Amino acid sequence: MDPLLLPSKEKYTNEFVFFLNGKKVELAQVEPETTLLQYVRSTKLTGTKLGCGEGGCGACTVMVSHMEPETATIHHRAVNACLAPLCSVAGMAVTTIEGLGNLDDIHPVQERIAKANGSQCGFCTPGIVMALYAHLREHPTSTPLQIEEAFDGNLCRCTGYRPILDAARSFASITEDGKEDGKEDKRGDRSIMDTQGGCGGCNGGEGCCMTNNKSKDMAVSASCQFKYEPLDLKLEPIFPPFLMKHPALPLCLKGSRVTWYRPLTIQGVHELRRLHPGAKIVVGNTEIGIEVKFRGIIYPVLITPTHVPELNKIESTSTGVSIGAAVTLTRLRTFFEEQTKTRPAHEAQLCEVMLAQLKLFAGNQIRNVGCLGGNIATASPISDINPVLLAMSAVLTVGSDQGERKINMRDFFIKYRVVDLQPHEVIHSVFVPWPRQNEHVAAFKQSRRRDDDISIVCCCFRLLLQPQDNNKWLVDEAEFAYGGMAVKSVLTPKTSAFLKGKVWDQAMLEGAYKTLAEDLPLPPGAPGGMIEYRRSLTTSFFFKFFLGVTDALSPTVDSSLVSARDKSAATPFQRGPSRGEQHYQINKGDEPVHEPIIHQAALKQVTGEAQYTDDIPDPRNGLHGAFVVASKAHAKIIKVDPTKALAARGVVAFFGPSDIPGCNTVGPILDDEELFASKVVPCMHYPLGMIVADSQQNAVEAARLVEVEYEELKPILTIDQAIAADSYIPFHHIIKRGDPEEGFKASDHVIEGEMRVGGQEHFYLETNGTFVMEGEHNELIIYASTQNPTKTQMLVAKILGLPANHITVKLRRMGGGFGGKETRSIYVSAAAALASYRLRQPVRLILDRDVDMATSGTRHPFLGRYKVGFTKEGKIMALDLSLYADAGHSFDLSGGVMDRALFHSENAYFIPHINVSGRLCKTNLPTNTAFRGFGGPQGMIICETWMQRVAEFLGKPEAQVRELNFYKDGDETHYHQLINDCRLPRVWGELMQTSTYQTRRDAVTQFNQTNRWRKRGLAIIPTKFGMSFTIKAMNQAGALVHVYTDGTVLVTHGGTEMGQGLHTKVIQIAARELGVPVSSVCISETSTDKVANTTPTAASVSSDTNGMAVLDACQQINQRLKPLRDANPNLSFKDLVTRAHMERVNLSANGFYATPDVGYLYQDSGVGIGRPFNYFNYGAAVAEVEVDTLTGDHHILRADILMDVGDSLNPTIDIGQVEGAFVQGVGWCTLEELVVFPNGYLFTRGPSTYKIPGFGDVPLDMRVSLLSDAPNPRAIHSSKGVGEPPLFLSASVFFALRDAIKAARQDEKAGSKAEWFDMYSPATCERIRLACEDSFTAQFKLEK
C-alpha cells in the first residue's frame, strides 16, 4: 500500500523542513536511514565528528531546539547526531559547532574552552562545546555542579577533563546553595598566585623566587585567564519565527528501504500499527539505531509518536503519577525535580528514587531523546528504571484501535526481550503510585563507571512497615525487584513472603539474605559473568536499604540495630564540583619559549574548523572501503566468496590477497603479518579482504555478505595458555647485575609472588582512517591519521611493489594516537592504497569504532613473577623477575615494549643484585602495540607491587620503605647507566610537604576507625622514566624551514601532531630563534615529501628531536642573515629578509638533529652495551580515595602530582599532558577492563562496553605542579619531554585503593595480623568488592 494514500483522517505530507544554523532547509527527498550526522557532514559542516556511532562519546553532539506547542516554550537539547535520524528534526532548529561561532567571530563558550587549554587533539572538542552550549541555553542559571553533570554524555581521552571543567564552571550563575554567584571565587578554586604574589609553592615567603628578584615565575590557574560571567542570552540567536508559525503536520517520508511516519494523534498511531504490525516505534532511536548500525537490521516501517499529545503527557494525581510513553527521560527528570519540592516526604521518596536512577541512566544526550516507554518495551534485563516500576507495582496502559488494557508491570516481562504486547498494540502510559505513609522506597545501581554506563546489578526495594509496641516495626508488605540477575527484571517472591509479618531486626535481616540467594540464583557461566560479585551485590544492597530504613525510623526503633560505624553505608556519596590547582614556573628571557601559549590549533578546534582525515572533501569519483573480517579466532581459510557482496548496491570491487601486486607479508620490524590473511586466520576480525563501494554504508553492508568457509583450529587466548603451550615469539631478553643468589643469601627475608596487569584500549576519539588519491603514473598521495608517515610510506610501497618516491604521506593532525597509530594505522592506509592503485580512483577507509577496537590491538597485558630479597630494615638486596607479555599474533613493536618494561622493572629503586627476563607470548588475539608508556608502566606497577608487599611484610610505612631504596647520584641502573642529577629525593620531599601526606595519613586512619563500610586509602608513588628511543637509529629528526619575504615563516618537521602540542612548541622555538612573533610562524602539515626518513612521533621525545632540528634550520638561516643584520641593525625582520632575497641569500634551510650517546644492544650475558636513555624524568603523586566496600565503587578525593619536566617549553601544554596522562592512567589501573570471550570475540568494542574515565571520574581535588628551577642540559632550551612519564603516577590511585581494601580486611579480621592479598590491575569495582572480604562475599564463595 502506498503510504501516502493511507485511508486515514490524518493527511500525511512529505514536506520536510528544518533549520540548520539559522538557515531554512527544505528537502524534497529524505532517506529515513540517514542520520542527522550523515546529513550535516554531507553539507561540508564537518566540525561535528563521528566518534563511536552509538551515542556513547558525545563527539557528534549538536543542539536541537524545538517549541512545545502547548506552552510555546522553546527547549534546547544536546543530541547525539550519530543516532538521531534526519527525519526526527522536522520542524526543529539544529545548531552545529559552525553555527555557534568561527575564527572571525568566536563564541564565549568556544573562546573560554580554548583559552583554558581545554582542547588537545581537538576531535572531541566540538561535541563538548555544543554539550555545554545547549545546557546553558536550556538552563541559563546553573550551579557549577549542574554544569559539570551536563558533560556525562561526553568523553575526552586527552585532557584529563580539568581544564574543560574550569572553563565550563566560569558560566555558573548561582552557587550550590542556590545563591547568585558574584564570581568572587565562590568555588574555592583561586588563582594559584595568592595575594602575596608567591609562585604557588611557598606563598611568597622567604626564599620565594619572586622575592629573590629572579626573572621567573608567575603561576596562574588556567581558569583565571578569563572573566567569569554567565552566558548573555540576549546575544544568542533566536528560535526561527518561521517554525513558531509552522504547524506540525503528519509526515510520511518514504525512502528506498524504509518509510518514516510521524502521526499527530493516537488514532493515527493505532492505524499505522494495524496496517504495519511489524513497524517499530521510534522516539530517541537509541536502541533501534544501534541495531541498524551494528547488526545490519533494516526495519521497513518506523513510526515516531513524538508529536502525539496523549503519549507526551505527565499527570500527577493524589494517588500517583501517569507518565506518557513518549515522555523523554529529561522531561521526566525535570518533573520529579519539581515534585520533590512539593510532595509530602513519604511521597517524595518516589521522586528521589526516580531521580537517582535517571541521573545515572545513560548520558545527557540520550536522556534528552530517549523515552520511558521505549525503555520499558525494550525489556532490557539490566534496565535501571524497570526494577523501580516493578517494585512500585506500576501499571501500564497499552492500546490499539481495538481499545485499551491495563497490565501490571509484574506481568509484562515474559522472557528475554519478550513482553506482553501484541503486534498491533503500543504502550500509552505507565502509572506509578505514590508511596504511602510508613512505606520506604530506595533504589541502587552498580556499574563499571558511575556516569553513562549500564548496570551490572540494579534494584529497587519497597517496604511497608507497621509500628508495634516497644520500638518494634512489623513488615506488612515487601516488594523487591532486581535487574542484572536474570534474563529479565525480576521480583523476589520468596523474600517477600518471608518478610511479611517479620519484626524489623537483625534476625529478619539474616533470614532475608538466605531467601534472596534462593530468589536470585546465578549458575556458573551465566551471561554477564561476575557471578560472585553480582550475587554479593544483591545482599549488600539490601543491607544498605536496611541501614537506611532503620536510620529513617530512628528514634522509634531499637538503637542497637545499627552501630554508629555502620551508618555511613546507607548514605550515598555526594560528589560536589571538582576543583584544581596548577603550579608552574615561567622563565623570562627566552620568550616566547617557556611561555604558557595556548595550543596553536585550539581556536580552530573549538570552532570545528580544524581538519582531520575524514574531513577532507570527497571528490566526485571518490569511493569508500570496508574490511571483510574473520569470524574465527584461529582457522584455516578454505574459501572466500564475494559473489553476493559484489551484487549488492553500490559495490565496485572486492580485493583480497591475490590482488596485491607487491608483497602481502610485511611488518614494522619483522615481516610476519599479512595485509589480508591468505591461508590461516591468526585472530578474530583479521582482515580477509576489502569491499569498495560508492558509500561507506554500502561498503559495510556488502562486507557482511562475503561468505567465508573455515576449518577451525584451537586458539590460544591468554598468557597462561601460551606458557602452557610453549607458544612464544622468538625473543628472550635478559638484564643482569650482580649475583641474585648471593643477594638472596644476604637477605633477612625472601618473598615470592606474581602480579597481573591488564591491557588497555587506546580509545583515541578519531578512529584509524585514511584517504588516498592517485597522482600521475603510479603516484599516490595518502592522507593518513598516523604517528608514522615514513613507515606508512615504506610499507605501502612494498605492498604495491612501487618505489618509495611514488608514495607521499601527509597529515595535518590526528584526533589522538597514544601509540596506537604508530604501526597499526599503516595497514588501513595500505588497504586503501591498494584499492586506489588498482581502481585509479580516490578511496577513503575510515574504520568504525567497533572494527577499530577489534582489530588494532591494545596495551600489552603482562604477567610478572617475582622473587625479592630484603633486609629487616626494608633495603632491597636482590630481585629475580620474569616478565611475560601478551604480544598477540605477531611481533609488531612488542620487543621494544618488553625492553622498556625490563628497563623500568626497578622503577626508582637501586637493587644491587638483579636478574630480569622478558618473553613474548604468542596468542590468537589482535597484535598488541605501542601505548603511552610503551611497557614502562607495566614493569613499574609490578615493581611497586612487590615493594608494597615488602613494606607490609615488615609492618613499616610504605613511603618510608620506598624512600629508603631510592636511587641517588652516582648509582648505576641495572643496565649500567650512571644516575646523575637525580631529582627524585627533591620531588619526593617537596610533595610529601605540599600534600601534607602525614597529616592526611592520620586523618585516613581516623576515618577508617569510625566507618565500617566506607574506607579511605592514601598512597604516594614515585616514577623514574627513561627518555629517548633505545634504538640508536631512531634518535634523529629533520626539519625544513622557509622564510618568506613578507617576514612570515613556514616550518615543516618530521613529527606529527596528535594533541600533545608538538607544533605549538616548535612554533615557539622557531619564533624565538628567528626573533619573530609566534603569529608569523606556521606549521601546515607533516609530509614525507618535505621531510624524509622520519622516525615515528613517539617515546615523548619529539619536541627534543624535532625542536632541535628546527632550531638547527633556523640557526642556519640566521647565520646567512648575520652579515646583513650586522650591517643593518635597525631593519625589521620583514625588511631584512626582503633585502636578503634581493641579495640572493637562501631563506630556506634543512635542519637535522641526532641525539648523542644513546642506543642499547642486548647481550646474551644480560650485560648490554650502550646507554639506552638520554636523561630521566622524575615525578611523584599522592592519591586519596574513598571506597564503598559493599559495592566496590570508589571516588578519587584528591590527587597531588609533582613532575620534573626541566624548564618547560610551554607550562600549560605540559600541565595538560600531565593531567591527561594521569587520568588516562587512572583508566588503565581502575576502570578499563578488556573482556575476550572463550571463542576469541572481543566483547569490549565500544563506549557501551568499554569504559574510559569520564568527567565524573576525575579527582575531586587535583593539584598539579611542575618542578621549579630544574633545567635539563641534555635537551632543547633545558626542557624535558612529558607525554609518557606522568601516566604511571596514576598507580598512586591503584595503591590507595589497595590501602582502603587493606583497612576493610583488617576490620573483618580484627585482632589478627593482616595477610598479603593479591590485587591485579585494573582494580575494577568487582575486584575491589571481592577483595573486601566479608560475610556478604563469603555467602556466595561457599557455593563454589
Tab-separated table of all heavy atoms in Angstrom, residues 1207-1227:
chain	number	residue	atom	x	y	z
A	1207	ASP	N	63.021	22.858	32.335
A	1207	ASP	CA	62.460	24.191	32.112
A	1207	ASP	C	61.415	24.036	31.009
A	1207	ASP	O	61.753	23.954	29.823
A	1207	ASP	CB	63.548	25.179	31.686
A	1207	ASP	CG	64.453	25.581	32.839
A	1207	ASP	OD1	64.114	25.259	33.996
A	1207	ASP	OD2	65.499	26.200	32.579
A	1208	SER	N	60.180	23.979	31.393
A	1208	SER	CA	59.105	23.659	30.459
A	1208	SER	C	59.104	24.593	29.251
A	1208	SER	O	59.174	25.815	29.390
A	1208	SER	CB	57.757	23.750	31.171
A	1208	SER	OG	56.698	23.644	30.261
A	1209	LEU	N	59.030	24.004	28.051
A	1209	LEU	CA	58.904	24.822	26.843
A	1209	LEU	C	57.595	25.591	26.841
A	1209	LEU	O	57.514	26.710	26.334
A	1209	LEU	CB	58.967	23.931	25.597
A	1209	LEU	CG	60.309	23.270	25.283
A	1209	LEU	CD1	60.161	22.307	24.116
A	1209	LEU	CD2	61.370	24.322	24.959
A	1210	ASN	N	56.543	24.977	27.396
A	1210	ASN	CA	55.222	25.597	27.453
A	1210	ASN	C	54.491	25.002	28.652
A	1210	ASN	O	53.974	23.887	28.572
A	1210	ASN	CB	54.449	25.342	26.152
A	1210	ASN	CG	53.119	26.069	26.118
A	1210	ASN	OD1	52.403	26.139	27.108
A	1210	ASN	ND2	52.774	26.592	24.957
A	1211	PRO	N	54.462	25.717	29.772
A	1211	PRO	CA	53.924	25.121	31.008
A	1211	PRO	C	52.481	24.643	30.914
A	1211	PRO	O	52.141	23.604	31.479
A	1211	PRO	CB	54.070	26.251	32.037
A	1211	PRO	CG	55.125	27.145	31.494
A	1211	PRO	CD	55.004	27.067	30.003
A	1212	THR	N	51.620	25.386	30.226
A	1212	THR	CA	50.228	24.946	30.184
A	1212	THR	C	50.059	23.716	29.299
A	1212	THR	O	49.222	22.854	29.585
A	1212	THR	CB	49.305	26.071	29.691
A	1212	THR	OG1	49.778	26.568	28.436
A	1212	THR	CG2	49.261	27.206	30.684
A	1213	ILE	N	50.840	23.627	28.229
A	1213	ILE	CA	50.824	22.411	27.415
A	1213	ILE	C	51.293	21.236	28.269
A	1213	ILE	O	50.689	20.157	28.264
A	1213	ILE	CB	51.728	22.556	26.179
A	1213	ILE	CG1	51.162	23.594	25.211
A	1213	ILE	CG2	51.932	21.201	25.500
A	1213	ILE	CD1	49.996	23.143	24.388
A	1214	ASP	N	52.370	21.437	29.028
A	1214	ASP	CA	52.923	20.350	29.834
A	1214	ASP	C	52.002	19.968	30.985
A	1214	ASP	O	51.857	18.782	31.308
A	1214	ASP	CB	54.315	20.732	30.346
A	1214	ASP	CG	55.365	20.709	29.244
A	1214	ASP	OD1	55.044	20.219	28.152
A	1214	ASP	OD2	56.489	21.187	29.481
A	1215	ILE	N	51.383	20.950	31.614
A	1215	ILE	CA	50.388	20.649	32.658
A	1215	ILE	C	49.273	19.790	32.076
A	1215	ILE	O	48.827	18.807	32.675
A	1215	ILE	CB	49.794	21.953	33.240
A	1215	ILE	CG1	50.816	22.665	34.144
A	1215	ILE	CG2	48.507	21.686	33.999
A	1215	ILE	CD1	50.881	22.176	35.557
A	1216	GLY	N	48.832	20.165	30.874
A	1216	GLY	CA	47.782	19.396	30.215
A	1216	GLY	C	48.206	17.971	29.933
A	1216	GLY	O	47.403	17.033	30.060
A	1217	GLN	N	49.463	17.788	29.563
A	1217	GLN	CA	49.956	16.433	29.324
A	1217	GLN	C	50.013	15.624	30.617
A	1217	GLN	O	49.685	14.437	30.637
A	1217	GLN	CB	51.345	16.498	28.683
A	1217	GLN	CG	51.323	16.943	27.238
A	1217	GLN	CD	50.628	15.952	26.335
A	1217	GLN	OE1	51.119	14.854	26.092
A	1217	GLN	NE2	49.453	16.313	25.847
A	1218	VAL	N	50.414	16.262	31.690
A	1218	VAL	CA	50.466	15.570	32.990
A	1218	VAL	C	49.063	15.143	33.415
A	1218	VAL	O	48.826	13.994	33.799
A	1218	VAL	CB	51.112	16.473	34.062
A	1218	VAL	CG1	51.004	15.828	35.444
A	1218	VAL	CG2	52.582	16.745	33.725
A	1219	GLU	N	48.123	16.070	33.345
A	1219	GLU	CA	46.755	15.768	33.764
A	1219	GLU	C	46.122	14.700	32.875
A	1219	GLU	O	45.470	13.770	33.359
A	1219	GLU	CB	45.908	17.040	33.742
A	1219	GLU	CG	46.305	18.052	34.800
A	1219	GLU	CD	45.562	19.364	34.670
A	1219	GLU	OE1	45.183	19.741	33.548
A	1219	GLU	OE2	45.369	20.028	35.702
A	1220	GLY	N	46.319	14.846	31.556
A	1220	GLY	CA	45.738	13.874	30.640
A	1220	GLY	C	46.322	12.494	30.828
A	1220	GLY	O	45.598	11.494	30.802
A	1221	ALA	N	47.646	12.423	31.000
A	1221	ALA	CA	48.286	11.123	31.212
A	1221	ALA	C	47.817	10.497	32.514
A	1221	ALA	O	47.574	9.284	32.588
A	1221	ALA	CB	49.806	11.295	31.221
A	1222	PHE	N	47.688	11.317	33.556
A	1222	PHE	CA	47.271	10.791	34.854
A	1222	PHE	C	45.871	10.177	34.767
A	1222	PHE	O	45.636	9.053	35.227
A	1222	PHE	CB	47.299	11.900	35.904
A	1222	PHE	CG	46.967	11.436	37.298
A	1222	PHE	CD1	47.942	10.884	38.105
A	1222	PHE	CD2	45.682	11.547	37.793
A	1222	PHE	CE1	47.640	10.449	39.390
A	1222	PHE	CE2	45.369	11.120	39.077
A	1222	PHE	CZ	46.349	10.569	39.877
A	1223	VAL	N	44.938	10.895	34.153
A	1223	VAL	CA	43.566	10.388	34.079
A	1223	VAL	C	43.488	9.179	33.150
A	1223	VAL	O	42.759	8.218	33.429
A	1223	VAL	CB	42.605	11.509	33.639
A	1223	VAL	CG1	41.212	10.957	33.359
A	1223	VAL	CG2	42.532	12.585	34.723
A	1224	GLN	N	44.254	9.200	32.074
A	1224	GLN	CA	44.308	8.020	31.217
A	1224	GLN	C	44.868	6.826	31.990
A	1224	GLN	O	44.388	5.693	31.849
A	1224	GLN	CB	45.174	8.305	29.988
A	1224	GLN	CG	45.088	7.250	28.909
A	1224	GLN	CD	45.848	7.648	27.664
A	1224	GLN	OE1	47.082	7.728	27.680
A	1224	GLN	NE2	45.140	7.914	26.578
A	1225	GLY	N	45.849	7.088	32.823
A	1225	GLY	CA	46.413	6.027	33.655
A	1225	GLY	C	45.436	5.532	34.702
A	1225	GLY	O	45.412	4.341	35.035
A	1226	VAL	N	44.622	6.438	35.232
A	1226	VAL	CA	43.576	6.019	36.174
A	1226	VAL	C	42.655	5.007	35.502
A	1226	VAL	O	42.256	4.007	36.093
A	1226	VAL	CB	42.778	7.241	36.680
A	1226	VAL	CG1	41.501	6.806	37.385
A	1226	VAL	CG2	43.638	8.076	37.635
A	1227	GLY	N	42.331	5.264	34.236
A	1227	GLY	CA	41.526	4.297	33.495
A	1227	GLY	C	42.228	2.960	33.386
A	1227	GLY	O	41.622	1.905	33.588
